Amino acid sequence: MPRDRKGAPLVETGHVVDYIENNQFIVAVCLDSKKGRPRLLTQANREVVISARRLTHDQGQSLSLNLARGELVDRLKDVSARREEIKAGIDLAELWSLVVEDDPTEPLDPAFLAGLLFGEPVTPDQVAALIRAAVENKIYFRYRPEGLEVTSAEKVEELLAQKLREEELAREREEVGGWLRDVWTGRSAESPVEAEAIIARLIDAAIQGPDSNSFGKVKGWLEAAGIKHPRAAFELLVRLGRFSPDEDLELRRLKVPTEFPGPVLDEAQRVARADLPRAALAGRKDLTGLETFTIDGAESRDFDDALSYRALARGHEVFVHITDVAVFVEPESLLDLEARARASSLYLPDQRLPMLPQILSEDRLSLRENELRPALSLRVELDDQAQVLGYELVKSLIRVDRRLIYSQADQNLDRDPRLSALHDLALKLKANRLQSGALLLDVPEVWVRPMDGRVELFRNDQTTPSRLLVAEMMILANRLAAESLAEAGVPTLFRCQLPPGHFEAPPDSDPLWVTLRQRMTLNPMELSPLPAPHAGLGLECYTTFTSPIRRYLDLITVRQLHGLLDHATPPYNQEALEDLTQSLGPLLRSHNQLRFRRLRYWLLKYLAQEGERTWEALVLDRLQDRYSLVLLEIMLRLPSPKLPEGALHPGQRVQVRVAKIDPADDYIRLDLA
């Protein structure tokens, strides 16, 4: 192609040229040229002005501009078709083999190469076809404005291998895409040999989204399948039977274990079958003569705690018995490491994930009726005002006489003197804490249960007497355990909380709104190996040991109490406890997030199933161009539609309607009713 002194191509009027647009070769004729920018008429009957540097071929072939425009366009189409036909018969590998051994250092003239391929003389169409073939092939030659550059033998080998891989990937893409298309449409299709590997990638893409290492590959499969659904990977897994329609992706994303490893289950079996070691029984106080009972929910199966009560001549004797998990789960055993990795049992609306295998958590360790169990028993003497007169913590043997559920305990409160006395003491213990600065910020409790394709809603607007009884007795036991360890200088994971921020509600404010706003001022609970006040409970020192089946923190405290009772060095020093805080803290926070998000998902499902109805909402606060609302029936915090400032006011109650909802995407849009 002729060029000027600066290397720019010179295009004469009437010359037929090639250029590339949108990865396609276009044939055109030059109508005129100004300042190196020819004006062209293309085979598509378009006039374009481009830089002459974009032209790939001009061998002086001309068309008369005196021809009618339609005839010019037809001639250009004929030229393009002829060049494509010639290109189809070109063997670039053979041509490359003729010149590669000469190892040319400069690009070769396409006309020269066309002569080697077709013989002399060559036509402009043959030269143009060769350039087209080289540009599209990209292996044997590289197109340069000054000619065709010969690719080295080593590079050709590399490019051919790459092409083979790309062809294999394209073939896989089409094959997998076809299978997924069949799955999507419900057509019967035989699973490919690599189905499990495909499913593994779908699972990773569904869980991690764009952050998945499989996202690009899965996206290619879906494109080949013609599937454009925003949650296509998830929906495919549902149709393949690998996910339920309500699969908890957050649980999978956080890699929360849902099954126990085989070796852990084997160890649990050995522990469950073994007799109690004599050393564990030695020195234990026999409290089997006490009337002992548990109070739990109807669905509870792992019983950590039990109670006993006796009236004294002046005062009351209360026993809080806690199952002695430390007897069965030794530090650094497989069971212990698994429990530490789980941090706590996780109770979600649609599944239970225990910290310890069920053969232990629901049997060997559980304070079941009529079963002899080792325990840590706290005996507390209280006066009629629920002030502690004295207490003693002992290793014990107990036997639960009766299991009560909360509703039974509430019904028997007036008929059973033990329950009545304990409830009276619980009320006074709570009042004592309130006088010490405890915060009473109870709000209605809402939980859900998926049942037969629907979501059942359960709501408790106030703490029942039996729940209050159990809660206050456990707080008392935990407080005294903390005080015992602190006085002895034994570290444990104390629970601490700084005082809340200041909040003053306007007069005559909605009481529920005031409580919710006060809860927003609370500082988070912190773990510390050193004792410090817990502002929310109104206590100077607090830890927990009352749920060692369900919480690893409580098992740690049980072990530290063992050290205290045995007058031995406790298992954990301050440094070890600080390390445990670093590892357990993030796990417990992730559990809280899981519980919150899963409950939110099912509450959104509940809203969706209720259809078109209005809901009462409490305006909590202003958020930029919206308001934060709390739907009172389900106690769920949601944003209002966009509203101007002043449209609503905090503490106001309004009626809203669900305009659009998608629980899977955690999306809901409300309108004011």
Side-chain angles (χ1 to χ4, degrees), residues 7 14 82 84 176 208 287 343 392 400 454 497 544 605 663:
R82 192 161 54 248
E84 284 297 305
V176 174
Q208 302 297 339
L287 298 180
E392 177 189 20
V400 171
R454 289 185 59 81
Q497 187 183 46
T544 56
K605 293 271 286 190

Side-chain angles (χ1 to χ4, degrees), residues 240-257:
L240 285 163
R242 297 305 181 94
F243 277 2
S244 79
D246 299 304
E247 192 74 21
D248 190 345
L249 292 184
E250 189 69 11
L251 192 74
R252 289 176 172 269
R253 192 173 294 121
L254 293 174
K255 298 181 179 178
V256 174

Side-chain angles (χ1 to χ4, degrees), residues 258-274:
T258 57
E259 302 289 341
F260 287 97
V264 173
L265 291 175
D266 292 342
E267 185 169 290
Q269 289 279 1
R270 288 194 297 272
V271 170
R273 289 194 298 264

Side-chain angles (χ1 to χ4, degrees), residues 55 172 248 343 398 400 454-455 505 546 571-572:
L55 302 180
E172 175 206 81
D248 190 345
I398 67 167
V400 171
R454 289 185 59 81
V455 182
T546 52
Y572 306 98

Side-chain angles (χ1 to χ4, degrees), residues 315-619:
H316 312 268
E317 186 178 46
V318 175
F319 290 83
V320 179
H321 311 283
I322 306 301
T323 182
D324 197 346
V325 175
V327 171
F328 301 94
V329 181
E330 297 181 0
E332 304 304 315
S333 65
L334 289 178
L335 282 169
D336 179 62
L337 295 175
E338 183 70 17
R340 188 191 309 168
R342 291 171 177 248
S344 71
S345 296
L346 190 55
Y347 302 122
L348 303 172
D350 48 352
Q351 61 181 318
R352 299 161 52 95
L353 301 173
M355 184 179 78
L356 292 164
Q358 290 172 297
I359 194 172
L360 296 179
S361 62
E362 297 179 11
D363 189 353
R364 194 71 164 99
L365 305 181
S366 187
L367 301 182
R368 298 169 60 185
E369 281 182 300
N370 300 316
E371 298 284 351
L372 185 67
R373 293 288 186 258
L376 292 183
S377 294
L378 183 72
R379 185 186 69 83
V380 190
E381 290 186 25
L382 300 165
D383 65 17
D384 287 339
Q385 301 308 312
Q387 297 293 334
V388 176
L389 301 175
Y391 67 92
E392 177 189 20
L393 180 68
V394 298
K395 294 181 182 180
S396 64
L397 287 173
I398 67 167
R399 181 179 283 108
V400 171
D401 301 288
R402 187 180 179 194
R403 178 200 170 189
L404 296 172
I405 61 176
Y406 288 118
S407 59
Q408 290 173 327
D410 290 333
Q411 292 168 4
N412 292 329
L413 199 65
D414 295 333
R415 297 193 293 268
D416 188 327
R418 298 173 305 167
L419 294 177
S420 179
L422 285 170
H423 179 246
D424 183 62
L425 288 171
L427 289 172
K428 291 172 180 175
L429 285 167
K430 180 179 179 180
N432 293 341
R433 290 193 300 106
L434 288 172
Q435 287 182 356
S436 299
L439 301 173
L440 182 58
L441 300 176
D442 293 335
V443 297
E445 183 181 7
V446 174
W447 68 101
V448 295
R449 182 188 299 124
M451 291 285 289
D452 301 324
R454 289 185 59 81
V455 182
E456 291 188 8
L457 184 75
F458 301 88
R459 180 183 167 96
N460 184 16
D461 289 311
Q462 59 183 359
T463 302
T464 66
S466 60
R467 288 181 182 274
L468 171 67
L469 183 162
V470 172
E472 287 298 330
M473 294 307 150
M474 296 308 115
I475 292 173
L476 174 64
N478 286 325
R479 162 199 151 194
L480 296 177
E483 290 177 1
S484 298
L485 292 168
E487 289 171 5
V490 177
T492 193
L493 290 177
F494 294 96
R495 293 181 177 238
C496 320
Q497 187 183 46
L498 294 172
H502 177 72
F503 171 73
E504 187 171 343
D508 301 322
S509 296
D510 186 307
L512 178 58
W513 176 76
V514 173
T515 299
L516 291 171
R517 286 300 308 271
Q518 286 178 328
R519 288 169 71 97
M520 292 168 63
T521 69
L522 293 177
N523 285 297
M525 188 277 296
E526 302 288 346
L527 297 173
S528 170
L530 301 175
H534 192 298
L537 293 175
L539 300 174
E540 289 300 312
C541 185
Y542 194 70
T543 188
T544 56
F545 82 109
T546 52
S547 292
I549 294 177
R550 310 174 194 181
R551 296 193 297 245
Y552 195 77
L553 294 177
D554 294 40
L555 176 54
I556 289 171
T557 305
V558 166
R559 288 171 175 162
Q560 296 298 83
L561 289 169
H562 267 266
L564 178 65
L565 295 174
D566 294 339
H567 305 289
T569 302
Y572 306 98
N573 58 25
Q574 184 173 329
E575 182 180 359
L577 291 170
E578 287 172 348
D579 290 342
L580 284 167
T581 300
Q582 293 300 314
S583 62
L584 294 173
L587 280 172
L588 294 172
R589 286 191 289 273
S590 70
H591 282 194
N592 288 336
Q593 281 295 312
L594 272 172
R595 279 188 284 266
F596 167 79
R597 291 177 183 173
R598 201 57 180 165
L599 177 60
R600 180 183 173 90
Y601 170 80
W602 286 108
L603 288 174
L604 292 181
K605 293 271 286 190
Y606 177 76
L607 290 178
Q609 85 180 14
E610 293 300 291
E612 296 183 5
R613 56 165 285 195
T614 58
W615 305 82
E616 186 177 26
L618 179 66
V619 181

